[in-house]
Amino acid sequence: SAVRPNPKEGRKMEKMIVAMQDPDMGMKLRNQRLLITVIPHAMTGHDIIIWLIHKYSVCEEEALHLGGMLVKYGYIYPLKEPRSLVLQPDESPYRFQTPYFWTSTRWPASELDYAIYLAKKNIRKQGELMEYEKERYSLLHKKINHTWDFVVMQAREQLRASKQRRKADRIVLECQEQAYWLINRPPGFLLFSSVVLQIEVHRRALGRNRVKSSICLEGFYSEQYQNHDPIMQGCLPSNPWISDDTAHWTMNTEMVPVPTRLRVERWSFSFMELLNDAMGRQEFMLYLEKEFSAENLYFWQACEEIRHGESSKIVEKVEEVYKNFLAPGAARWVNIDSKTMDKTLEGIKQPHRFVLDDAQMHIYFLMKKDSYPRYLKSDLYKNMLAKAIVPQETKKSVFPFMRRQRHSSPSPAQAVAQATEEEGRHKGAG
Amino acid sequence: MCDQTFMAATFGPCDSCGKASPLMNIYIKSEAINYCSFCVEMMACQQLQKGETLQSLKKESDSLKKKLEEERGKLNDVELHQVAEKVEVLSSLSIKTRRVLKGHGNKVLCVDWCKDKRRLVSSSQDGKAIVWDAFTLNKVSEISLSVFYFDSNAQNGLDNKCSVVPLSLDKNENLAAKKKSVAMHTNYVSGCTFTNSDMQLLTSSGDGTCALWDVESGQLLQSFHGHTADVLSLDLAPSETGNTFVSGGCDMKANVWDMRSGQNIQSFESHESDINCVRYYPSGDAFASASDDATCRFYDLRADREVAVYQKDSVIFGASSVDFSLSGRLLFAGYNDYTINVWDVLKGTRVSILFGHENRVSRVRVSPDGTALCSASWDNTLRIWA
């Protein structure tokens, strides 16, 4: 985020600030009462504007704008309504930010700084942080976890040191810090922690199993898919984008009375291909019902809904799954090995999104290794393949000019002009 | 100066390393001292044993990396293009522009296809998202997005969000009113994708992290840390167990993550500049990346290494986006020199170059049934190629 002034801009603003605090020619400062405490060295928005008007011989509008910049970049901060970083031309009280927090001279705000600040605030306010602060605090806790002892220690030490100050000073300190963090977001990536994390990643990587290139690269050469790449080989009856004929889409909608041959072929490429096609999945379900093992697919689908569904529905869905598939005597009881079943039943006492993962995987691989291969050899599949449609190829549109009429603009003259323009822009393949 | 409520040193020699730099006032055992930010960080890391310095840790990291490269190399008994020698050479392609979608008032930054294979949604720097029926060129709906890629209202401390807009076929519905803010990062959101349903959203951000969100409640489910610079792109793995995704960023790294644990399970560092885009191969066993170093690369997850580099002397400008054709044989890549190069994934050769856009190509996407390629560009248009 670009809320830092560039160095030159920063120096000019600082010069202005120093002039504003000149003992003779500077601003008239006064005590400001905040509830029961008196804060020294405060000024009103109105006074800031008057001073700027006289010092720089500008009109009120420009002074308001100029003063607004000083507030925006954190050189002056409001005492009441600290989140409203604007200059009010009235009796609203403001204060000069301490040079320690000048954005131009300070090192870039880091996550470590911010974590210490939030930790202090968390302790002081007994957990009552703003929502976005709570979220960032817990994110930081995770991200720079290995520095956390230091963060908490610093927070406590700094709070202890500030307790030894006068109340007015303490409030000022808090205001200054708060103003600083409202403007600065910590972008810095800790150099140290990133190296520590990197070492962890490398160590883990060294421990993993790798596959020989000759084995895994063979898998990329697959003749199967050659005919299933329209942009490369074309498609039947024609590519709608080229011929303007939507027959290809009509023939391949999710549910059709008779699917195309290519589509049914794809179901045999992998179990995932079969399940990803709604029709394929439906056919497979029919087959499983004949084999009296349909509960496996129903179970797998129910698990998918939990894994990808709303967080709020997890508990009730897991309960349903238990009732229908896992409980003794359940209507659609699934046959999982005892070890996995025990682990799962124990886990669902405290349901979470992934509690059924092991059971789901077990059933998935059962279907993949056993039912799926048999389905491909079954009459059900073979008949589907036999009666599948092989569309006739349609030649390209005989009247090329017809295609060009498709424009959302109303004017026919514009359409013709555009067509000529496009004709001229086409360049062939390399 | 009249306002010195308390004195604080802001610049000077660090009490630890002695270097003159901006200082941080910290407390060690009730004593106030001044350290430079670097020494503070070093002290904050618990893992720091006596005698350890940043130098020694970096050395350790580099030697581990070298060892890792050696291990990876041991199983490298054949190259992809060698395996591909027995594969037929592709016949020449004649891919042309079939549609030009005009309507955005500024650079088109992002596009994605609808499951119905002909509608798509695009977003632009003009602050609008348009849903098109690309086949007829009709605009189905137009949605205003407030502060999409820009820093938002600093006063509320609320930053860079991701909004979910439910789309319906009812033309009269006021979609903008149903817009829902879901993700929240501390810096810009560079990319997002729904997971297998539209109940969860995965985002990548300029703050260096990726995050998984529950759409209904807006709650953060998991965060992913490991990149050391802005994350620019991510893609969900099309695998059977469906639990991983890959991200690419300005730290030149491509990382593979486990969505359940938040752990970084694999990391690849072979690009020489920012990675702008990552995309899985259809089988999920590999992925491709596009980078500012003007190359696209191909990584095999089981071999755990880079297996191909798609580059040519005549291709000088950075690649912004990649996508595979339906079978995975072709890789389409959009570049900053306004072109789209088509690569043979297996043989590593460039099979075609597509001209037409008048400014950078920001995104390329193959349609769900593989019949067409859509490209989005800074020339304010989208093109459909087939």
Side-chain angles (χ1 to χ4, degrees), chain B residues 137-159:
Chain B
L137 297 181
N138 283 332
K139 296 186 190 68
V140 172
S141 47
E142 209 171 284
I143 306 144
S144 273
L145 304 161
S146 57
V147 290
F148 197 75
Y149 280 96
F150 304 97
D151 200 349
S152 78
N153 191 347
Q155 294 180 11
N156 298 325
L158 289 173
D159 303 328

Side-chain angles (χ1 to χ4, degrees), chain A residues 1 21 29 41 83 86 95-96 100 105 107 112-113 132 136 139 142-143 146-147 149-150 153-154 157-158 160-161 165 169 173 176 185 189-199 201-206 208 210-214 216-218 220-221 225-226 228-232 239-242 244 246 249 252 266 272 307-312 353-354 357 361 364 368 406 408 418 422 425-426 429-430, chain B residues 1-3 5-6 10 23-27 30 41-47 54 57 60-61 64 68 72 75-78 80 86-87 93 97-100 102 113 117-118 134-135 137 151 154-155 157 159 186 196-197 199-200 207 214 216 221-223 225-226 228 238-241 243 253 260 263-266 281 286 300 302-305 325-327 329 332 346 351-353 358 369-372 383-384:
Chain A
S1 86
Q21 294 181 68
L29 301 176
H41 307 143
R83 283 172 210 288
V86 290
R95 242 177 149 265
F96 292 109
Y100 184 68
T105 48
W107 67 93
L112 193 54
D113 292 333
Y132 77 94
R136 281 189 218 179
L139 263 173
K142 184 177 171 184
K143 195 170 180 182
H146 53 278
T147 67
D149 280 0
F150 178 78
M153 183 267 282
Q154 267 310 294
E157 293 268 0
Q158 289 183 20
R160 191 197 46 76
R165 298 183 190 279
D169 290 347
L173 247 157
Q176 286 172 343
R185 256 147 256 131
F189 297 92
L190 295 182
L191 193 60
F192 224 72
S193 45
S194 66
V195 177
V196 169
L197 211 67
Q198 195 61 35
I199 290 175
V201 173
H202 286 326
R203 285 220 178 99
R204 233 182 293 134
L206 276 168
R208 33 163 327 122
R210 261 166 224 97
V211 180
K212 246 204 295 198
S213 293
S214 49
C216 42
L217 295 184
E218 283 293 328
F220 287 121
Y221 169 51
Y225 281 98
Q226 291 291 77
H228 295 253
D229 196 333
I231 251 183
M232 212 165 70
N239 187 324
W241 301 102
I242 300 174
D244 275 356
T246 58
W249 286 333
N252 285 293
R266 267 185 89 161
M272 208 166 62
R307 234 160 41 109
H308 303 297
E310 301 103 310
S311 295
S312 60
R353 189 174 293 274
F354 304 109
D357 267 17
M361 266 224 289
Y364 179 84
K368 178 179 172 180
R406 286 191 191 278
S408 43
Q418 227 160 339
E422 269 167 19
R425 273 223 219 111
H426 281 167
Chain B
M1 266 221 263
C2 47
D3 180 26
T5 306
F6 64 100
T10 59
L23 296 174
M24 189 171 172
N25 312 140
I26 58 170
Y27 292 89
S30 307
E41 217 201 297
M42 284 202 6
M43 151 163 271
C45 295
Q46 281 173 321
Q47 271 101 318
L54 181 66
L57 280 179
E60 186 184 346
S61 173
L64 279 172
L68 182 60
R72 281 173 168 169
L75 295 173
N76 185 3
D77 54 346
V78 72
L80 181 58
K86 61 172 179 258
V87 179
L93 304 168
T97 300
R98 305 292 172 176
R99 300 284 191 280
V100 181
K102 298 186 185 182
W113 288 91
K117 310 154 192 174
R118 50 187 282 178
F135 191 68
L137 297 181
D151 200 349
Q155 294 180 11
D159 303 328
T186 56
N196 292 30
S197 67
M199 300 295 158
Q200 289 179 290
D207 68 7
D214 175 60
E216 190 190 37
L221 298 173
Q222 183 65 268
S223 60
H225 304 270
T228 52
S239 83
E240 293 177 303
T241 45
N243 272 328
K253 290 208 204 97
R260 283 186 55 170
Q263 255 193 6
N264 177 356
I265 52 183
Q266 265 175 298
Y281 185 73
D300 184 307
R302 294 156 305 177
D304 190 32
R305 64 177 186 94
S325 67
L326 199 63
S327 68
R329 180 68 190 272
F332 297 97
L346 303 181
V351 293
S352 196
I353 181 165
E358 293 172 351
D369 65 354
T371 50
R383 279 179 182 243
I384 309 290

